[in-house]
Amino acid sequence: MKLALVGIGKIAQDQHVPSLAASPDWELAATCSRAGEVAGVPSYRGFDALLAEREDIKVISLCLPPVPRFDYAQRAIEAGRHVMLEKPPGATLSECHALEDMAREAGVSIYATWHSREAGKVAAAKSWLAGQKVSRAHITWREDVRRWHPGQDWVFDPGGMGVFDPGINALSILTEILPSPVHLKSARLEVPANRQGPIGADLTFTDNVTADLDWRQAGPQSWDIEVETARGLLKLSDGGDTMTLDGVEAGEVSEGGEYPRLYAKMALLVGAGKSEMDLAPLRHVADAFMLGERVIVDPFEF
Ligand code: NAP
């Protein structure tokens, strides 16, 4: 199937382009970008021109930040194209629901991707936890925003979500592996004096589930989730690529890598005429913004 990538920025170049090049399902037939290009691939500056001139392209993969993404998704659906959304699937829950409704009415597939759910040991963790009672769980997601988002001011703008931009990856894993759903009880958001979005967040959910998200981690980076049960302590590390049970490495590795698996799934959804739009991780983020106590901290510059 032919596909167009829109928004040729960091994640498009790092993950989407190589995953598509290696995929047996997809041909990267065009890009749409205000500035970026992919060597050897026809490039469009205007999205309407791409949609009008390339009826051979049935699938649009949107790699833009969340705020501008809705408008592109709407135009793609109205033009009868299937749509794949980078995470988070939108800047608000309402626009995600609207897109889901539009896609259903237009008879096209829409896929809200959560790349961290495709990390190597997430499926193994989910299957080990199935049916168990969780007594405690804790997320530690501490990374250096300067290293992973150099100069990307949009992450701190309204709709950019601040530290929830990576934190939602942890929440996407949590909502995938926990045997029973939890909801947020309280949150503390640390917002730099010169920014709109938080740079740190402490979250407390029901069932003894907590999260520590921080974007000021200069040394070793931590992307860990611990889940305690009567059977023992499960720990996912490295963003879900490593799993231990009571300190001993365990679990089958899912083959293929995060983005190749997302594209394989999109091929299946389009082939089956289905959609997938799980908004549980975004719901937790929305709750944190609604319920969170805001604490002003030192200004932040890249
Ligand atoms: P980015 O490099 O800052 O932006 C991606 C591209 O979006 C830009 O190069 C630009 O493309 C386009 N764009 C930005 N603002 C726009 C606007 N207002 N209107 C139209 N186009 C605009 O961001 P990114 O890091 O790739 O992140 C994009 C999405 O991927 C985010 O939702 C992020 O959460 C997700 N993601 C990022 C990472 C990561 O490591 N960075 C990892 C996983 C997922 P053109 O200049 O080509 O038009």
Side-chain angles (χ1 to χ4, degrees):
M1 278 177 277
K2 290 185 182 174
L3 175 146
L5 266 188
V6 181
I8 306 303
K10 185 167 188 314
I11 198 61
Q13 297 282 12
D14 286 358
Q15 296 289 346
H16 290 256
V17 170
S19 299
L20 287 164
S23 168
D25 299 312
W26 299 104
E27 174 191 338
L28 178 55
T31 60
C32 178
S33 164
R34 299 164 310 169
E37 290 195 2
V38 175
V41 179
S43 166
Y44 290 77
R45 292 282 172 248
F47 192 45
D48 289 332
L50 186 157
L51 293 171
E53 291 170 26
R54 297 300 302 270
E55 287 194 2
D56 56 321
I57 297 176
K58 302 294 185 210
V59 178
I60 306 292
S61 180
L62 297 174
C63 306
L64 312 153
V67 170
R69 199 180 305 129
F70 175 82
D71 177 55
Y72 285 80
Q74 180 175 22
R75 282 191 275 164
I77 293 168
E78 283 172 358
R81 304 316 209 278
H82 308 286
V83 171
M84 184 163 160
L85 303 166
E86 248 300 351
K87 53 63 52 174
T92 68
L93 284 164
S94 297
E95 62 181 42
C96 295
H97 289 303
L99 289 177
E100 197 175 7
D101 291 345
M102 285 177 213
R104 189 182 316 107
E105 278 161 30
V108 298
S109 297
I110 187 162
Y111 179 23
T113 65
W114 297 108
H115 66 86
S116 289
R117 284 186 177 172
E118 306 300 330
K121 293 289 179 78
V122 171
K126 179 178 181 168
S127 104
W128 191 81
L129 287 168
Q132 292 197 61
K133 174 104 182 85
V134 171
S135 53
R136 181 188 74 86
H138 184 68
I139 293 170
T140 308
W141 224 253
R142 299 176 74 91
E143 61 174 58
D144 182 355
V145 63
R146 290 190 175 93
R147 179 162 156 200
W148 302 105
H149 296 274
Q152 291 180 342
D153 283 308
W154 66 261
V155 294
F156 284 111
D157 288 342
M161 298 185 199
V163 75
F164 289 101
D165 178 79
I168 203 168
N169 296 333
L171 297 173
S172 75
I173 296 176
L174 186 82
T175 47
E176 177 72 4
I177 65 174
L178 281 189
S180 307
V182 294
H183 63 264
L184 193 77
K185 283 184 3 187
S186 66
R188 181 176 184 275
L189 310 179
E190 294 184 317
V191 183
N194 60 339
R195 300 282 179 173
Q196 295 289 320
I199 197 162
D202 289 317
L203 311 177
T204 304
F205 296 87
T206 50
D207 294 352
N208 242 347
V209 176
T210 49
D212 164 17
L213 316 177
D214 207 304
W215 242 350
R216 295 161 293 193
Q217 180 85 359
Q221 312 284 286
S222 305
W223 297 289
D224 304 329
I225 302 179
E226 286 185 351
V227 187
E228 211 169 274
T229 74
R231 262 177 90 189
L233 177 70
L234 177 145
K235 182 168 180 181
L236 276 175
S237 310
D238 305 324
D241 277 336
T242 305
M243 172 171 138
T244 58
L245 297 173
D246 291 327
V248 178
E249 242 187 83
E252 291 280 306
V253 184
S254 304
E255 295 299 325
E258 296 180 10
Y259 279 82
R261 276 204 292 282
L262 293 180
Y263 275 106
K265 194 161 182 182
M266 183 64 184
L268 289 176
L269 288 172
V270 171
K274 292 189 172 160
S275 288
E276 190 178 300
M277 195 84 171
D278 178 11
L279 300 179
L282 187 61
R283 223 167 44 228
H284 289 315
V285 174
D287 285 356
F289 279 102
M290 282 198 279
L291 203 53
E293 172 199 2
R294 279 167 177 70
V295 179
I296 303 301
V297 297
D298 289 346
F300 176 85
E301 300 295 348
F302 280 101

